[in-house]
Amino acid sequence: MNPGRCAACRYLRRRCAEDCILSPYFPYNDPQRFVSVHKIHGASNVTKLLQQLPTHLRAKAADSLYFEAQCRVEDPVYGCVGLIFLLQQQIHSAESELAKTQAEIAVLKSQAQHTQAQPFEAESDVNNLLQEQLDNIANVSFSNQASSGFIN
Amino acid sequence: MRGHEPRSSSSCAACKLLKRRCSSNCIFAPYFRSDESKKFAKVHKVFGASNVSKILIEVPEEQREETVNSLAYEAEVRLRDPVYGCIGAIALLQTKMIELQHDLALARARLARYAATSSVVSDNDGASMGPFGDFPAACGGFIDSFSQNISSEVNQDAHMYDFSQIPYI
């Protein structure tokens, strides 16, 4: 057995060429990584996908393929799409909670502003009441004079 | 000269693409109608017909349609983003969730200040929302490190992830 073979070539029982495209991303010491990816995507598809990418992006692509394969192995029905669902639901809940909290803040803020305005309104009411009473007193005096024949 | 095999008009999209006879118990037929050639082509390109067949055989029959839908979505996203696939979408959503949690924490703190000022007891139960809930434990650390590395990159391509296109939403 050639100890220099990558995990992919070992699994596929083939010679691992020096320029094997899978070798950098499926090292011999992590055989499970390739097994997962091969089970879900297939070595041929992975090879074609990596070949169409620039070299500096292939590691990230291999990692994301491995993650998706793992998710699909754990959840054959939804795979990583299940995570997208879960996150969307959590985001929706958080947005609702945020809207509710902001509404509560608006109510309390409005109440606080109203409370601050109240002392001035009370003073104004007292002044109006005093003026009204003074006016009443003046009217009574005038009508008394009228009834006494002062105004003809 | 090889005899020309008559094409059945009732062949499913999978058998049409694979150029084989579509049997009455073809596992693909219920989920890849003859007019859904593009759908199967994408799934085949990303997963391979053989792997899809094995996955469908593994799941209960009543869940096969959901399985095909999720495979089709995953394939679509992978073809649009060959580097990150669905992981890019997950990273974007995770970033958004973190921002929302931050905004929510600020809002709750502000509400608590107003409540203290107005002596109104808030109904806030103080429940904190974890980032993922039932996130598979095996993948949690991976996605966190992934997000840190790719969130700035995928944000520029956010338009690629059209979540409204998930068939079953």
Side-chain angles (χ1 to χ4, degrees), chain A residues 64 67 72 77-78 85 90, chain B residues 66 70 74 83 86-87 131 168:
Chain A
S64 71
F67 179 77
R72 186 61 67 171
V77 179
Y78 294 108
F85 275 150
Q90 289 181 340
Chain B
E66 290 284 282
S70 73
E74 205 172 311
V83 181
C86 280
I87 308 309
Y168 27 84

Side-chain angles (χ1 to χ4, degrees), chain B residues 143-156:
Chain B
I143 194 66
D144 285 342
S145 66
F146 225 121
S147 294
Q148 288 164 13
N149 292 332
I150 72 173
S151 59
S152 61
E153 296 172 36
V154 298
N155 273 327
Q156 297 167 9

Side-chain angles (χ1 to χ4, degrees), chain B residues 23-99:
Chain B
S23 64
S24 57
N25 60 348
C26 171
I27 196 163
F28 298 115
Y31 317 109
F32 296 100
R33 295 191 316 265
S34 58
D35 60 342
E36 293 182 309
S37 57
K38 282 186 182 173
K39 178 180 170 184
F40 181 76
K42 290 174 184 174
V43 170
H44 179 50
K45 191 168 182 182
V46 175
F47 297 102
S50 173
N51 290 340
V52 173
S53 173
K54 288 176 192 169
I55 290 171
L56 289 179
I57 288 170
E58 188 183 330
V59 303
E61 193 172 342
E62 62 271 17
Q63 290 185 303
R64 286 178 185 167
E65 188 171 358
E66 290 284 282
T67 304
V68 166
N69 287 340
S70 73
L71 286 168
Y73 179 78
E74 205 172 311
E76 174 82 40
V77 176
R78 176 59 67 173
L79 290 172
R80 265 190 263 157
D81 182 359
V83 181
Y84 295 114
C86 280
I87 308 309
I90 291 170
L92 272 174
L93 290 172
Q94 185 186 7
T95 301
K96 185 169 182 184
M97 188 64 202
I98 290 170
E99 288 171 0

Side-chain angles (χ1 to χ4, degrees), chain B residues 109-132:
Chain B
R110 202 169 160 213
L111 180 65
R113 281 199 302 275
Y114 273 111
T117 305
S118 62
S119 300
V120 172
V121 178
S122 168
D123 277 347
N124 188 359
D125 61 5
S128 64
M129 197 174 296
F132 290 112

